[in-house]
Amino acid sequence: MSSAAAPTLSLPGDPPGGRRAVWIWGIGVAVYFVAIIFRTSLGVAGLDAATRFDVNASALSTFSILQLLVYAGMQIPVGLMVDRLGTKKVLALGAVLFTAGQLGFALSPSYGTALASRALLGCGDAMTFISVLRLGSRWFPARRGPMIGQIAALFGMAGNLVSTLFIARALHGFGWTKTFVGSSLAGVLVLVLMLLFLKDHPEGHEPPPVEHAGAAYVRRQIAACWREPGTRLGMWVHFTTQFPAMVFLLLWGLPFLVEDQGLSRGTAGSLLTLVVLANMSVGLVYGQVIARHHAARLPLALGTVGATAVLWAATIFHPGHAPMWLLIVLCVVLGACGPASMIGFDFGRPANPPERQGTASGIVNMGGFIASMTTLFLVGVLLDATGDDYTIAFSSVFVLEALGLVQILRLRKRAAAREREHHVVSRVEAVHVPV
């Protein structure tokens, strides 16, 4: 039996998928889409925010750092909430919080209130992606998992595209308050759709009841997930692959291209858009490849990390301004970081049973956001300490990439052996379940 082929065995109790599944899951994806618009809106408003609140680079980076700190810190609690309460309740709470955060950011009279609003936004945002992954696993067969995850991420990047194309233009056309208040209405719209139509699972596919025993249950759930090498490998894959593009898109890409590379804001915005478009294209390719060739997961992740490091180094160490062709190639490669980070979930998912999927996804999802938060902080501090030397500040990326690579290489064999054990057990159970 070839190890390159992905297993296509239908597992006992697999949901049927179909048009209704696409419709229900699409509502959840729409919530995630709006959350990404709100999350990334600061990336195109960074220079405006610095002027509006009269802050330096370190203070500006605190907006994104706090938002990601809240997001990362909420991942395990959110995973536990999704496993216990279901998708609809958690997504509804998330939509209320991130909409309130976006509206508060629009109306904030001071840096402090704006900071609190971004924290609130980060809390709501944290509840979206894990919920959407859980929704997909409840409505589609397990073999569709890699593709469903990549498509969800693709629509999230479409939200990023809205930020780079429309939020940036609206800021210059309508100003700060009107732009952010207007965008917050999208949160109200998806909340109404979700409350009216979303269902946690199809009829006849209710999850088995799980006994919850307070703190003891929480400890058992987290410990069981963490014991699985696949969960930890997934977290480190997410950690190592996601953050360079996140740092570039979320805050520091536009200032780097304008202030360090001498580009106009329009040209810089076009390059950020290229990152998003590349992400959407690569995501479809990665999803198809992994669905057909399970063994391609780690080579794709490691290849993306290597290509990112090479292009990042070539750009920041280039004497003078980097040529446009190099900036274009860098942005295309950065576009592969998001799809590569989704591979982390494809390690965590088969390592855990359905009742732990939310918790496992939360642990995996922490990785990239912890790396992004750390790098955002380091870049801001180093820019202030060196008089805006982007070469030194952006070199911090290599430190976190090296750390992540060491952990991936350390865990890969243990995770592969454990996954083979799970696959054998699943095949035996499938053969013995009556139809």
Side-chain angles (χ1 to χ4, degrees), residues 44 61 76 103:
V44 295
S61 66
I76 292 179
L103 184 61

Side-chain angles (χ1 to χ4, degrees), residues 61-125:
S61 66
T62 303
F63 278 125
S64 296
I65 291 168
L66 178 61
Q67 182 179 331
L68 293 185
L69 177 63
V70 172
Y71 186 105
M74 286 291 293
Q75 289 309 292
I76 292 179
V78 167
L80 292 164
M81 288 170 63
V82 171
D83 286 337
R84 182 169 185 174
L85 302 177
T87 300
K88 185 171 184 175
K89 291 178 181 178
V90 177
L91 264 184
L93 178 58
V96 169
L97 292 176
F98 68 60
T99 301
Q102 185 79 342
L103 184 61
F105 196 56
L107 303 175
S108 291
S110 66
Y111 175 71
T113 54
L115 205 58
S117 296
R118 295 306 288 188
L120 189 63
L121 193 158
C123 186
D125 181 20

Side-chain angles (χ1 to χ4, degrees), residues 42 45-55 60 63 103-111 113-114 171 174-178 180-181:
L42 182 61
L47 297 177
D48 301 87
T51 301
R52 179 179 176 87
F53 300 113
D54 190 25
V55 294
L60 181 61
F63 278 125
L103 184 61
F105 196 56
L107 303 175
S108 291
S110 66
Y111 175 71
T113 54
L171 279 167
F174 300 105
W176 180 278
T177 302
K178 290 182 179 179
F180 282 101
V181 169

Side-chain angles (χ1 to χ4, degrees), residues 114-361:
L115 205 58
S117 296
R118 295 306 288 188
L120 189 63
L121 193 158
C123 186
D125 181 20
M127 299 181 180
T128 58
F129 189 62
I130 292 176
S131 298
V132 171
L133 288 179
R134 169 69 172 238
L135 194 66
S137 70
R138 290 298 185 192
W139 281 90
F140 293 95
R143 67 182 182 276
R144 303 292 185 194
M147 195 64 198
I148 290 299
Q150 289 288 357
I151 292 175
L154 184 151
F155 278 97
M157 290 308 296
N160 203 325
L161 192 62
V162 170
S163 291
T164 58
L165 289 179
F166 298 107
I167 298 291
R169 294 179 182 178
L171 279 167
H172 294 287
F174 300 105
W176 180 278
T177 302
K178 290 182 179 179
T179 296
F180 282 101
V181 169
S183 66
S184 67
L185 297 177
V188 177
L189 175 61
V190 294
L191 177 61
V192 171
L193 284 174
M194 179 178 48
L195 293 176
L196 290 176
F197 300 111
L198 193 73
K199 289 179 65 68
D200 283 345
H201 46 74
E203 292 79 3
H205 291 271
E206 294 81 2
V210 178
E211 292 185 7
H212 302 283
Y217 161 77
V218 171
R219 287 194 297 270
R220 287 197 303 270
Q221 191 84 336
I222 295 173
C225 286
W226 188 255
R227 279 196 298 269
E228 294 291 346
T231 305
R232 284 174 281 146
L233 177 61
M235 186 194 73
W236 284 109
V237 167
H238 199 270
F239 178 101
T240 314
T241 53
Q242 187 201 46
F243 78 96
M246 180 72 74
V247 168
F248 202 77
L249 287 172
L250 201 58
L251 185 61
W252 292 120
L254 188 69
F256 167 72
L257 294 171
V258 173
E259 297 175 352
D260 189 70
Q261 296 298 309
L263 302 181
S264 67
R265 287 183 63 140
T267 303
S270 297
L271 287 173
L272 294 181
T273 303
L274 178 61
V275 177
V276 177
L277 292 174
N279 184 299
M280 296 169 72
S281 301
V282 174
L284 290 175
V285 174
Y286 278 18
Q288 292 282 2
V289 170
I290 294 169
R292 289 175 169 81
H293 306 283
H294 218 48
R297 292 173 300 170
L298 202 56
L300 283 177
L302 294 176
T304 302
V305 173
T308 301
V310 169
L311 270 298
W312 193 271
T315 301
I316 67 173
F317 293 118
H318 193 282
H321 293 162
M324 181 56 68
W325 69 264
L326 181 56
L327 294 175
I328 290 173
V329 175
L330 171 67
C331 290
V332 170
V333 171
L334 286 176
C337 290
S341 72
M342 291 298 300
I343 296 171
F345 297 102
D346 293 323
F347 285 108
R349 184 168 38 245
N352 292 275
E355 62 271 18
R356 293 207 308 258
Q357 290 295 314
T359 307
S361 295

Side-chain angles (χ1 to χ4, degrees), residues 1-77:
M1 182 178 65
S2 172
S3 63
T8 58
L9 181 67
S10 293
L11 299 177
D14 248 2
R19 292 183 180 179
R20 186 168 180 237
V22 172
W23 161 246
I24 297 294
W25 176 74
I27 295 172
V29 171
V31 179
Y32 176 57
F33 170 79
V34 173
I36 293 295
I37 295 175
F38 292 178
R39 179 201 300 174
T40 58
S41 57
L42 182 61
V44 295
L47 297 177
D48 301 87
T51 301
R52 179 179 176 87
F53 300 113
D54 190 25
V55 294
N56 61 14
S58 295
L60 181 61
S61 66
T62 303
F63 278 125
S64 296
I65 291 168
L66 178 61
Q67 182 179 331
L68 293 185
L69 177 63
V70 172
Y71 186 105
M74 286 291 293
Q75 289 309 292
I76 292 179

